[in-house]
C-alpha cells in the first residue's frame, strides 16, 4: 500500500484513550479507571464522536457521577470533545482489576480483593486477608461494610494497624 | 391511572417497576437508620445496604422509563407517583421497628432477591436488566450474609435478644408469601422472557430461612392470614407516612435537582 491510500492513524482517538485511562479514581486515587477495569472502551461512534464507555463498581456507588465528570474534564483539558456513556452490561466484578491495580492498592495500604469473583462464603466464615503493611495473615474483620461501598474494615493483629480491604465481589 | 392499570402490553415496564419499587422503598427504610444504629459499624452497614438498594432502584427506574417510552425518568418514577401506583411488596414498607425487626425484614428479602437476581441474570433476554441483575446478585449476597449472621447471633443470644428476634419473625413472616405471588402481568413478562417466575426460587428461599432459623433457635410461625396486595397498589398505613417524607422535596420544589 502506498502512503496516499493507507488509512490515517486516528491520533485523536489514541490520545483520548491515553488521557482517559490515566484518570484516577476519586475515592481510591492510587488507581486509575483503567487499573480498576471500569473503563470499558474509547471508540468513535457512527457520527465520528469519541465515546468513552464507563461502568459502575457498585449499583449505588456515589462516585459514579464524579468519575464520569473527572474523565470528561480530563479530556476537555486535553482539547478532546467526547461523550461519556454508562454501560451496565456485563456487570463489573473485582476480577476486572488488573494485576498492576492490585499491587497499587496494596502499596497504598488497601488490601486487594482475595480470590475470584463469585466465590460464596458461609455464614461466619472468615477470609484470610493479608495486612497490606506487614503482610501478616493474622487479621480480624471489624466491619463487613467500610468507608465506601467497595471496602470492608479490618485490623492487623500483628502490627495493630487498621486497614481497608477491597471486597471481592 | 398509573402503573396499577398498566396494560398487558406494558408487562415489561410493570415487572421492572415491581423490582424497582421494592428496592427503593426498602432502601429508604434502611436510610431511616442513618445515625440511629446500635453501633457505628452497623450504621455504616445499614447505610451501605440502603445505598446498594437505591442504586439498583435508579438503574431499574431509568430502564423502566425507556421501556415505557413516555419520557418519564428515574426521578419521575421514584418521586412523583401516587401511593396506589407503587407496586412494591408489603414486606419492604414495614416500619423498621427494633434492630431485630430490621434484620428479619432484610433477611427475608435478601434470601429471596439473591437467588432471584441470579436467575434473572442467567435467563433474561434483556441485556440491561441482566447486567443490573448480575451486579445486584453480588450485593444481595452481602446483605444475606450480614443479616443472616445477625439473626443467628440475636436468636441464639440472650433471653431478651431471642425474645425480640422471635417477635420480629412472628410479625413479619406473614408478608413473605407475596414475594412469590403470580399475577397476569408478571406471567406475561415471564412468558416474554424478561425474567423468570419468582416461584422458581421459593425452594431455595425456604432452605435458607430454615437453615438460619435452626442455627438461631427460632421457630417459623404458622401464617393463618397471609398479607398481600402491594403489587396491586394496596398498601398499609405506614406507606403513606414513608412517601410523605420521601417525596417532600420533589412535591414542594418540583423539578429540584442537586
Ligand atoms: Zn500488619
Amino acid at each position: 500500500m502506498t502512503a496516499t491510500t493507507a488509512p490515517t492513524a486516528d491520533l485523536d482517538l489514541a490520545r483520548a484513550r491515553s488521557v482517559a485511562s490515566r484518570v484516577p479514581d476519586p475515592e481510591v486515587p492510587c488507581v486509575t479507571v483503567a487499573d480498576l477495569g471500569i473503563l470499558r472502551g474509547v471508540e468513535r461512534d457512527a457520527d465520528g464522536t469519541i465515546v468513552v464507555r464507563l461502568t459502575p463498581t457498585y449499583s449505588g456507588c456515589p462516585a459514579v457521577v464524579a468519575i464520569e465528570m473527572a474523565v470528561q474534564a480530563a479530556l476537555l483539558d486535553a482539547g478532546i470533545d467526547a461523550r461519556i456513556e454508562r454501560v451496565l452490561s456485563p456487570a463489573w466484578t473485582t476480577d476486572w482489576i488488573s494485576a498492576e491495580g492490585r499491587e497499587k492498592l496494596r502499596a497504598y495500604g488497601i488490601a486487594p480483593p482475595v480470590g475470584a469473583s463469585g466465590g460464596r462464603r458461609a455464614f461466619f466464615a472468615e477470609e484470610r486477608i493479608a495486612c497490606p503493611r506487614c503482610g501478616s495473615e493474622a487479621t480480624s474483620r471489624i466491619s463487613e461494610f467500610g468507608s465506601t461501598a467497595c471496602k470492608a474494615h479490618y485490623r492487623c493483629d500483628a502490627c495493630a494497624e487498621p486497614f481497608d480491604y477491597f471486597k471481592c465481589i | 391511572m398509573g402503573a396499577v392499570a398498566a396494560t398487558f402490553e406494558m408487562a415489561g415496564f410493570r415487572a421492572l417497576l415491581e423490582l424497582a419499587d421494592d428496592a427503593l422503598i426498602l432502601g429508604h427504610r434502611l436510610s431511616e437508620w442513618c445515625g440511629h444504629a446500635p453501633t457505628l459499624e452497623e450504621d455504616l452497614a445499614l447505610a451501605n445496604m440502603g445505598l446498594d438498594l437505591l442504586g439498583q432502584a435508579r438503574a431499574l427506574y431509568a430502564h423502566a422509563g425507556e421501556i415505557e417510552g413516555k419520557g418519564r425518568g428515574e426521578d419521575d418514577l421514584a418521586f412523583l407517583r401516587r401511593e396506589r401506583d407503587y407496586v412494591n411488596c408489603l414486606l419492604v414498607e414495614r416500619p423498621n421497628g427494633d434492630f431485630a425487626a430490621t434484620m428479619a425484614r432484610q433477611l427475608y428479602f435478601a434470601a429471596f432477591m439473591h437467588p432471584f437476581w441470579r436467575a434473572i441474570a442467567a435467563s433474561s433476554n434483556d441485556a440491561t436488566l441482566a447486567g443490573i441483575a448480575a451486579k445486584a446478585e453480588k450485593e444481595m449476597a452481602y446483605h444475606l450474609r450480614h443479616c443472616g449472621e445477625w439473626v443467628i447471633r440475636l436468636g441464639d443470644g440472650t433471653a431478651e435478644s431471642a425474645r425480640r428476634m422471635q417477635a420480629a419473625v412472628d410479625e413479619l413472616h406473614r408478608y413473605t408469601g407475596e414475594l412469590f405471588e403470580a399475577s397476569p402481568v408478571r406471567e406475561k413478562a415471564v412468558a416474554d422472557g424478561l425474567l423468570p417466575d419468582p416461584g422458581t426460587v421459593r425452594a431455595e428461599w425456604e432452605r435458607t430461612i430454615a437453615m438460619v432459623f435452626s442455627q438461631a433457635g427460632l421457630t417459623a410461625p404458622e401464617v393463618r392470614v397471609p398479607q398481600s396486595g402491594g403489587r396491586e397498589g394496596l398498601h398499609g398505613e405506614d406507606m403513606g407516612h414513608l412517601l410523605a417524607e420521601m417525596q417532600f422535596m420533589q412535591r414542594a420544589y418540583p423539578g429540584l435537582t442537586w
Side-chain angles (χ1 to χ4, degrees):
Chain A
M1 283 203 165
T2 64
T4 47
T5 55
T8 46
D10 192 340
L11 291 177
D12 280 349
L13 184 62
R15 209 155 55 81
R17 281 190 181 135
S18 144
V19 169
S21 66
R22 275 183 280 126
V23 173
D25 180 274
E27 279 180 344
V28 193
C30 63
V31 285
T32 67
V33 292
D35 293 330
L36 280 178
I38 58 178
L39 179 66
R40 284 287 166 83
V42 183
E43 306 294 341
R44 284 198 190 271
D45 69 6
D47 305 333
T49 310
I50 293 177
V51 180
V52 179
R53 292 184 302 129
L54 290 160
T55 194
T57 52
Y58 281 71
S59 302
C61 178
V64 170
V65 175
I67 292 169
E68 292 172 354
M69 284 169 66
V71 171
Q72 184 101 64
L75 289 165
L76 278 176
D77 278 349
I80 299 164
D81 256 331
R83 182 160 54 84
I84 308 288
E85 197 177 286
R86 192 181 300 177
V87 292
L88 299 176
S89 182
W92 180 87
T93 70
T94 38
D95 292 348
W96 289 78
I97 304 177
S98 68
E100 196 187 345
R102 285 162 201 265
E103 207 33 64
K104 285 181 184 172
L105 285 171
R106 195 192 324 275
Y108 189 70
I110 299 172
V114 169
S117 162
R120 297 199 196 293
R121 262 199 298 140
F123 289 148
F124 300 110
E126 293 261 1
E127 288 166 305
R128 291 159 70 85
I129 310 298
C131 169
R133 294 178 198 283
C134 73
S136 168
E137 280 193 353
T139 59
S140 315
R141 190 174 74 208
I142 297 170
S143 175
E144 182 109 72
F145 296 86
S147 54
T148 65
C150 56
K151 286 178 251 155
H153 203 199
Y154 274 73
R155 175 183 55 225
C156 177
D157 300 323
C159 74
E161 284 291 324
F163 65 91
D164 275 336
Y165 165 56
F166 205 108
K167 294 192 284 208
C168 181
I169 66 160
Chain B
M1 303 288 272
V4 173
T7 60
F8 215 52
E9 285 68 41
M10 291 302 288
F13 170 69
R14 165 59 191 272
L16 285 174
L17 217 49
E18 290 181 2
L19 293 168
D21 286 350
D22 282 358
L24 174 72
I25 300 302
L26 187 57
H28 184 84
R29 278 287 185 229
L30 292 180
S31 78
E32 294 172 354
W33 272 104
C34 197
H36 300 280
T39 66
L40 178 60
E41 287 76 14
E42 218 35 55
D43 215 273
L44 282 171
L46 290 162
N48 264 306
M49 290 192 288
L51 203 55
D52 286 341
L53 291 165
L54 293 180
Q56 293 164 17
R58 289 188 63 174
L60 290 162
Y61 282 132
H63 192 42
E66 286 165 9
I67 288 183
E68 188 193 32
K70 292 182 183 166
R72 287 204 282 182
E74 53 182 276
D75 282 355
D76 301 304
L77 292 170
F79 296 123
L80 297 176
R81 283 178 297 146
R82 299 149 75 91
E83 183 179 323
R84 286 292 301 265
D85 295 332
Y86 282 84
V87 288
N88 56 278
C89 62
L90 297 178
L91 175 69
V92 297
E93 72 189 50
R94 299 310 299 149
N96 285 340
D98 60 12
F99 186 69
T102 290
M103 286 299 118
R105 187 184 60 198
Q106 199 70 17
L107 169 68
Y108 282 137
F109 185 73
F112 165 64
M113 283 313 296
H114 179 242
F116 195 37
W117 281 128
R118 191 198 312 138
I120 293 172
S123 77
S124 179
N125 57 14
D126 179 321
T128 302
L129 180 61
I132 295 169
K135 190 177 296 297
E137 182 213 338
K138 294 170 187 306
E139 292 161 356
M140 297 319 288
Y142 264 87
H143 299 199
L144 174 58
R145 197 171 55 240
H146 187 74
C147 298
E149 288 178 0
W150 267 115
V151 169
I152 293 168
R153 223 177 264 131
L154 294 172
D156 191 30
T158 65
E160 175 67 1
S161 73
R163 181 187 69 74
R164 288 198 188 209
M165 202 61 247
Q166 185 63 54
V169 163
D170 288 346
E171 160 62 20
L172 291 168
H173 207 77
R174 73 194 71 187
Y175 297 99
T176 55
E178 191 180 19
L179 296 169
F180 309 100
E181 263 177 22
S183 72
V185 181
R186 174 99 73 140
E187 278 163 16
K188 170 81 164 66
V190 170
D192 290 345
L194 180 69
L195 78 182
D197 181 339
T200 56
V201 300
R202 180 160 203 152
E204 180 168 351
W205 179 87
E206 284 172 351
R207 273 197 308 276
T208 305
I209 298 299
M211 185 268 283
V212 171
F213 280 14
S214 86
Q215 287 189 50
L218 296 167
T219 317
E222 187 194 336
V223 174
R224 292 201 179 78
V225 187
Q227 297 293 307
S228 69
R231 302 288 187 219
E232 281 82 55
L234 302 172
H235 299 283
E237 183 186 348
D238 297 289
M239 180 72 171
H241 296 277
L242 182 154
L243 291 179
E245 179 166 323
M246 191 184 76
Q247 297 188 334
F248 173 78
M249 293 300 276
Q250 279 300 327
R251 297 289 186 195
Y253 305 98
L256 175 84
T257 57
W258 288 106

